[in-house]
Amino acid sequence: MFASPVLWKIREVVRNLTKENIKSSVAELNQLVGMYGNDAKIFLIHCLLEALDLSIPPQKESKWDSAGRSPRLLLLQHEITQSANSSNFVSIICQALERSGREALSNIEN
């Protein structure tokens, strides 16, 4: 595993992702994933899943593009598509979902 400053940085980049800064944010996230490997990719997918609010209609959310897609949703789609070519694709997705499920349960319990 890697240090929590990396986790913090990935989470912050995802939280602050907009259509205006998507290129620089994706470049930064790619660099972090390149340096820290699958653990960073799993955490990135987890953060993207966590940050999505699909209950907001596209026209009410200012961070959606003209086709009704959130930059986070576009990045999640890209990351999943990119990971689909990996031999450990199922493991990556399961770990990201498992982490999201654990955090959701702990939020409910608290």
Side-chain angles (χ1 to χ4, degrees), residues 17-52:
L17 188 64
T18 65
K19 62 184 178 181
E20 289 80 23
N21 71 3
I22 193 164
K23 287 184 182 181
S24 61
S25 296
V26 168
E28 186 172 5
L29 290 168
N30 284 338
Q31 183 179 15
L32 290 168
V33 168
M35 288 172 37
Y36 295 98
N38 281 335
D39 286 337
K41 167 123 7 229
I42 290 164
F43 190 74
L44 170 57
I45 292 171
H46 159 74
C47 288
L48 289 166
L49 289 168
E50 179 183 69
L52 284 178

Side-chain angles (χ1 to χ4, degrees), residues 40-88:
K41 167 123 7 229
I42 290 164
F43 190 74
L44 170 57
I45 292 171
H46 159 74
C47 288
L48 289 166
L49 289 168
E50 179 183 69
L52 284 178
D53 186 358
L54 299 175
S55 66
I56 300 173
Q59 54 272 38
K60 300 217 188 242
E61 174 60 59
S62 62
K63 294 182 180 178
W64 292 66
D65 70 8
S66 61
R69 296 171 300 207
S70 155
R72 292 181 188 118
L73 185 58
L74 291 172
L75 182 55
L76 178 61
Q77 178 185 6
H78 170 75
E79 290 300 325
I80 290 174
T81 301
Q82 193 175 44
S83 296
N85 297 325
S86 300
S87 60
N88 60 345

Side-chain angles (χ1 to χ4, degrees), residues 2-22:
F2 43 91
S4 56
V6 175
L7 300 177
W8 177 85
K9 186 61 177 173
I10 290 171
R11 190 179 300 273
E12 280 304 302
V13 172
V14 169
R15 279 187 186 150
N16 296 320
L17 188 64
T18 65
K19 62 184 178 181
E20 289 80 23
N21 71 3
I22 193 164

